[in-house]
Each structure stands twice: as C-alpha cells, then as structure tokens.
Amino acid sequence: MPRQAKTARRKRWAYSAGARGVNRVRAFAHAKTGALYLEWKAPDAEGIVRTVREPLTDCSQDEATAAADRKAVAIRAAGASAPRGPLTLGMLFDMYLREANPDRTTVKHNERATALFYGCWGRERNVVTLSPSDIKHYIRERRAGRIVRLDKKGMPVAGKPVRDRVLEEDLTFLRTVIRWATREKKDGNGRWLLDSDPVGAFDIPREKDVRRPMLPVGEVERMLEKALVVDRRVWLALTLCHETGRRLNSVRMLRWSDLDLTAQTIRWVGERQKNGETSVTPMTAALVAALKQERRARAVISDGWLFPSSRSEEPIHRKVFYNGWAAVRTACGLELIGAAFHTQRRSMASDFSTAPLAVVAEIGGWKHPEVALKVYQQPNLEQQRSVLGQREFYKKRA
C-alpha cells in the first residue's frame, strides 16, 4: 500500500519584538489549542538564563502584539538600570578564548599570556581597575622573569627573562582583548562588556635590535652532510626548507601526493598552511633529486605523510626536528642559534631580494608580500656593492 503524503503542518501565528540576545520577546499561538502566550528569556535566582512563558487570556492577536512590544521595552529599561557585577580578568579572558580567539596558530601563546596576566594581577582582578601603572609593572616583572604562572594542570611554572619582542606579543594580545570587550562583545542586557578602555593608550615595547640570524651557504652544506649521518629526517626537512623557503611546519605537513616529481611541483594545501591558502610552486633540481633518493630509500609505493609518525596517524612532532637540528649543529662544531629552520626562510627571501616581490611572496608562501620585504629580506654586502656599482659615478671611475 503506497504511503500517504504527509499533511502540511498548520502555520501558527507568531510575532517577535526586541533585539535577539538583548530583549527579544515572542508572542505566539499554541499549535493545538490556539491559546496566546508571551515568551522571553531571563535569569533565575541562581543566575541561570531560562525561558519564561506567560499565558495571555481573553486577548486578541493585536493585543498580544502590543503586549510583546511593552514587555520588550520593559526588559530593556530594566537591563539598562540594573547594576552589573564586576568583570574579572578570569571572566574576560575565558570569554575571549572561548568565543573570539581567531587564529589557531596563536592559541598556545594567548593561553600562556593569559596565565601570566593572572600571575601578575590575579584572576579575580576587576578589569576596570587596571591602569597604566599595572602595565608598567607587568613589563618590569615579565622582562626580569619574576612572574610565576600556572600550567593546565595547576602546577607553577617559573618565569624567565624575556626580550621586548615577547612583551610586544603579550601586550598586543591584551590590547586586542580589551578592544574586543569595548567594541564587539555585549552582555545579556545589550551593554558592552566594558564601557571604556580602562588602561587607555599605552606604549608597547618594540624590539630595537631584532635577532634574525641566517646561515651562510657553506654552513648549510656542512649541516646537510652531517644530517645524513645524524638523522635522515632532519636532512630531508632541512633540504626542503632550504630549497623552498617554506616554514618547518608547512614542510612537516607534506604528503607524497602533494609532490609531483614528474612535473617538479609542490602543492601546498591551504588547511596546513599558516596563511590558509593553497598554492603550487616549482621544485629545484636539487630538491627533486633528494626526494627521489628518499623515495627509493623508503620504497614508497602509496600516499602518506612525508614524515610519518610511528605512534599516531599524524606527522612526527616538530620537537624531533629541533632536537635533530641541535644535534647536527653540535656535530658540525657550530655555535647554536635559536632560529633553527627559519634561517633558511630568511636566506631564500634575501637571495631573491632583486626578484619581483610578488614572485618571492608566492614561492615562500607570504600572504602579504610586504612582510617578506620588511621582516625577512636582509641584503648582504655583496648585493649592496652590486647596486652601488651600477651608479654612473662609479662606472666613470672604473
């Protein structure tokens, strides 16, 4: 017997007044009885927001509409005059990290900075009592390494002295959170979380002598030779970073299917990149040879991670590469520097300082080309002499 078609649901009357999340009130007719009701949300005695429903007896739809309008006006008026409890640092940062933290690459830093703010000012500190002197106190204590924070397990972690670059990241995050509370986030009564910025404009320390080291070509060649002996994975990662100029994490997240050894191209999948963009870049002959050598050594016949982990389905952790970098540097007898694989990103940008900036940005995966120009390119003396030699004055003297 064929199934009978469902009867269309009868549309019931409804009307809404007020703003959603602030003073929204809904008047509606019950689907079965046709009785009219008002419905809105309000906190109970324990502060839990619940739905309140009030029946309207002997009332027409026009009268129910007017009742909803009056109720919405009353809720807004009550909210505007109701006293508001203190907004603590814990409440503010919990809301921001839960609702607004935009970039997954900054989550760990923001959580660590939040714990440091708690360690300096206290989790229960009222946000509106912060002042410029509190910012200066944080700068002094953080710079000297005297702030103790709690980790996720509640264990104290001693601080260590930091440079102005770290302070810049911490205080930029603080300013972002405060502006979010004054311009983007409202409470249940439709008011901004903060009526104004409690600390106002404050000076954020800027690194005057930024350390952006690069490895000379000769040292890179030595490290590649030693890496083959110390850890083949580090050798391949260093080769990729050197030949592509990409970040270590982008290299670490490559799959064999991203590598076209015939066309000699690499596909960088957007969801695995810091800039979130998918792009295809060419390979150098040296990189193609290294990948073919690695494929033969592993006897790879199917797709998979270029750097597979034996413990999980994800690639191996980045700490493996950094530990390997230190071991290789020690084997080369070279002084350790903190930048590790990022030195190759700077070298690539600097080597191509005379190339079109858009091309350099596409090869290296910079979303904003000016970053490659202002932060990564470091023209050496030979490049500077070459430019100076092009002046007509020097041509005549030669």
Side-chain angles (χ1 to χ4, degrees):
M1 181 177 179
R3 187 172 60 180
Q4 295 181 352
K6 292 183 179 179
T7 57
R9 293 182 61 183
R10 184 172 58 183
K11 186 176 181 180
R12 59 178 177 173
W13 176 84
Y15 170 78
S16 295
R20 186 181 298 275
V22 180
N23 62 332
R24 175 60 59 89
V25 178
R26 180 168 168 265
F28 66 94
H30 194 278
K32 294 183 178 179
T33 65
L36 298 177
Y37 292 87
L38 284 185
E39 189 176 80
W40 67 93
K41 293 184 181 295
D44 60 13
E46 299 178 355
I48 302 175
V49 177
R50 301 184 185 278
T51 299
V52 180
R53 182 174 294 178
E54 176 183 295
L56 299 174
T57 57
D58 299 329
C59 185
S60 66
Q61 291 183 359
D62 291 340
E63 293 171 333
T65 298
D69 290 335
R70 290 195 299 271
K71 188 66 179 179
V73 171
I75 292 175
R76 179 177 283 277
S81 60
R84 179 164 56 183
L87 177 67
T88 65
L89 284 174
M91 295 165 58
L92 175 60
F93 283 105
D94 285 348
M95 281 188 287
Y96 182 85
L97 293 175
R98 183 177 62 251
E99 301 176 18
N101 200 26
D103 190 347
R104 60 184 175 83
T105 62
T106 62
V107 169
K108 289 185 178 180
H109 165 266
N110 293 350
E111 291 177 347
R112 183 169 59 252
T114 298
L116 287 164
F117 294 143
Y118 295 161
C120 183
W121 300 320
R123 182 182 174 88
E124 301 304 319
R125 175 73 179 269
N126 190 340
V127 180
V128 299
T129 64
L130 290 177
S131 66
S133 61
D134 291 310
I135 302 297
K136 295 178 181 178
H137 175 70
Y138 177 84
I139 293 174
R140 289 194 303 270
E141 297 299 300
R142 179 78 162 113
R143 183 178 281 147
R146 292 192 289 262
I147 300 178
V148 178
R149 64 180 175 89
L150 299 180
D151 62 15
K152 292 184 178 180
K153 296 181 180 179
M155 302 299 293
V157 179
K160 59 181 180 180
V162 298
R163 293 168 63 95
D164 285 346
R165 174 58 181 160
V166 177
L167 286 167
E168 180 183 353
E169 293 177 349
D170 291 354
L171 295 177
T172 299
F173 168 60
L174 175 64
R175 177 175 287 173
T176 299
V177 174
I178 291 177
R179 287 181 176 177
W180 174 78
T182 58
R183 301 177 184 179
E184 298 181 37
K185 178 62 178 177
K186 294 185 177 181
D187 61 15
N189 295 319
R191 296 176 294 188
W192 299 114
L193 285 181
L194 289 174
D195 296 327
S196 61
D197 187 340
V199 294
F202 57 87
D203 293 331
I204 295 180
R206 308 289 181 182
E207 193 72 47
K208 297 179 181 178
D209 185 17
V210 182
R211 294 182 295 186
R212 295 178 179 138
M214 295 191 302
L215 285 179
V217 176
E219 291 190 9
V220 175
E221 293 174 350
R222 289 177 58 194
M223 290 194 69
L224 286 171
E225 293 175 0
K226 292 293 183 180
L228 269 174
V229 179
V230 175
D231 191 332
R232 191 179 183 90
R233 298 171 299 183
V234 177
W235 165 78
L236 183 59
L238 180 56
T239 301
L240 279 158
C241 289
H242 179 68
E243 299 295 332
T244 66
R246 293 279 175 153
R247 296 177 176 84
L248 172 63
N249 201 53
S250 297
V251 166
R252 185 180 70 92
M253 300 291 286
L254 282 172
R255 301 182 68 92
W256 282 105
S257 57
D258 299 327
L259 309 172
D260 190 335
L261 300 183
T262 302
Q264 299 187 358
T265 59
I266 301 179
R267 182 172 181 266
W268 307 94
V269 180
E271 62 185 14
R272 304 184 219 139
Q273 310 304 310
K274 183 178 181 180
N275 62 12
E277 298 178 353
T278 298
S279 62
V280 177
T281 59
M283 297 188 203
T284 62
L287 180 55
V288 172
L291 290 170
K292 287 182 178 179
Q293 179 181 345
E294 184 68 13
R295 190 153 200 163
R296 286 194 300 269
R298 295 194 206 172
V300 176
I301 58 175
S302 61
D303 185 26
W305 295 111
L306 191 59
F307 300 97
S309 172
S310 58
R311 298 182 179 180
S312 67
E313 296 181 358
E314 296 295 318
I316 55 177
H317 198 275
R318 67 185 68 189
K319 289 184 179 179
V320 174
F321 297 102
Y322 289 120
N323 292 338
W325 171 277
V328 172
R329 291 278 294 174
T330 302
C332 290
L334 301 174
E335 182 182 353
L336 282 173
I337 56 177
F341 292 88
H342 223 62
T343 56
Q344 305 311 300
R345 188 163 174 78
R346 298 190 188 99
S347 296
M348 191 277 289
S350 300
D351 291 343
F352 299 149
S353 60
T354 58
L357 190 57
V359 176
V360 176
E362 185 67 21
I363 293 174
W366 283 283
K367 188 173 184 178
H368 303 290
E370 60 270 17
V371 174
L373 175 65
K374 295 180 180 179
V375 179
Y376 285 87
Q377 289 187 350
Q378 301 177 29
N380 55 38
L381 287 175
E382 287 72 19
Q383 290 172 324
Q384 296 176 46
R385 288 194 178 100
S386 175
V387 172
L388 287 173
Q390 296 175 16
R391 295 178 64 185
E392 194 66 26
F393 173 74
Y394 289 98
K395 288 182 180 180
K396 290 180 179 179
R397 293 191 61 181

